[in-house]
Amino acid sequence: MKYELETTELQVEQVALQTEDTSSYEDLNIFLPILEQSLDFDKNYRQLMYVHEAAIQQITARLNTLKGEFEFSNDRNPIDSISGRIKSKESILHKMQKLGLPLTASALMDNIHDIAGVRVVCPFIEDVYAVARMLVRQHGIEVIQVKDYIRNPKENGYRSLHMIVKTEVDFAESTKYITVEIQIRTIAMNFWASTEHQLRYKKDRSFTEETQKKLKECADLMAKADLQMQEIAGDFDVNQW
């Protein structure tokens, strides 16, 4: 089955994030002059989230433009749904503490790259890569990192294409690049991931080894179904973008 990354736009960017680069915080500090180095979440959270919400709007607008174009120019759309979210204050604090990071604005901006998140759900596996290629070719998008959990699933069976990108955001007096995590997956992958999340964080149930085994089996079944659906799609020649 031919659905691997085929363009250098994605392949050359599969590198580790350079956490020593502090330009992101310094740039934002120009736009947010009252943002203090000491990270008081109650004081600074809204400012930081506003900037990242603007980045989500930029990415979702680009994706909705692509989706709208396909609705008018094709008999099928490679994008089923688009959603965005801002990481909660509690999740950010937990992640920083887990990584042993100081609670400072620079540590947050330079190490936590999934504050802003966008999820794209596609009908077929090849759609995932097609949408990724279309997005990263656009002006104002800089790819920082790609993690392909479709070709290389996580141990628990999780599958999705993850990209960390920087997107241009125009403010009143300047243009800044803000980091966004984009997850692109099929409908089947999204069903498994959403259901697994609901079960894993159910408070009155323990997540046993047997449960993990069963969920892994379900993930493998979903992956097999995805491949079979992709083969059928090939027979109908629906992946010509």
Side-chain angles (χ1 to χ4, degrees), residues 181-199:
E181 180 189 59
I182 304 173
Q183 299 177 0
I184 313 179
R185 58 179 67 152
T186 66
I187 295 170
M189 294 171 195
N190 191 59
F191 168 74
W192 182 90
S194 300
T195 306
E196 191 268 354
H197 181 82
Q198 291 288 327
L199 295 172

Side-chain angles (χ1 to χ4, degrees), residues 2-154:
K2 184 180 179 182
Y3 60 86
E4 297 180 358
L5 296 176
E6 297 177 343
T7 60
T8 55
E9 292 99 320
L10 293 179
Q11 289 174 326
V12 298
E13 300 295 348
Q14 296 188 28
V15 295
L17 291 171
Q18 301 299 313
T19 57
E20 66 270 20
D21 180 8
T22 59
S23 59
S24 57
Y25 167 69
E26 292 171 354
D27 287 347
L28 278 178
N29 206 32
I30 296 172
F31 171 67
L32 302 173
I34 67 171
L35 185 62
E36 299 176 356
Q37 179 61 237
S38 178
L39 189 59
D40 180 346
F41 271 80
D42 290 332
K43 184 176 182 179
N44 296 325
Y45 180 77
R46 287 187 179 181
Q47 279 187 298
L48 290 167
M49 296 312 104
Y50 165 73
V51 171
H52 287 87
E53 181 63 43
I56 289 175
Q57 292 174 4
Q58 288 289 323
I59 294 293
T60 55
R62 291 171 183 267
L63 289 164
N64 276 311
T65 298
L66 290 173
K67 185 178 181 182
E69 179 183 355
F70 281 107
E71 287 175 355
F72 286 106
S73 61
N74 291 273
D75 59 357
R76 192 182 75 78
N77 204 315
I79 299 176
D80 181 73
S81 64
I82 304 163
S83 60
R85 66 101 182 98
I86 291 289
K87 202 174 189 68
S88 71
K89 183 165 51 176
E90 294 74 20
S91 294
I92 292 173
L93 281 168
H94 175 74
K95 190 167 186 177
M96 292 184 75
Q97 291 167 351
K98 183 178 179 180
L99 294 173
L101 298 172
L103 296 182
T104 63
S106 59
L108 171 65
M109 296 301 300
D110 297 329
N111 294 279
I112 309 300
H113 300 281
D114 60 346
I115 297 172
V118 173
R119 181 174 298 155
V120 186
V121 179
C122 303
F124 300 104
I125 297 173
E126 285 192 2
D127 294 340
V128 171
Y129 296 100
V131 170
R133 287 193 294 269
M134 293 174 203
L135 184 61
V136 302
R137 287 171 178 165
Q138 294 189 8
H139 174 75
I141 297 286
E142 177 187 351
V143 180
I144 304 301
Q145 184 185 61
V146 175
K147 291 186 177 180
D148 191 341
Y149 296 118
I150 299 175
R151 292 168 61 187
N152 302 289
K154 289 187 177 182

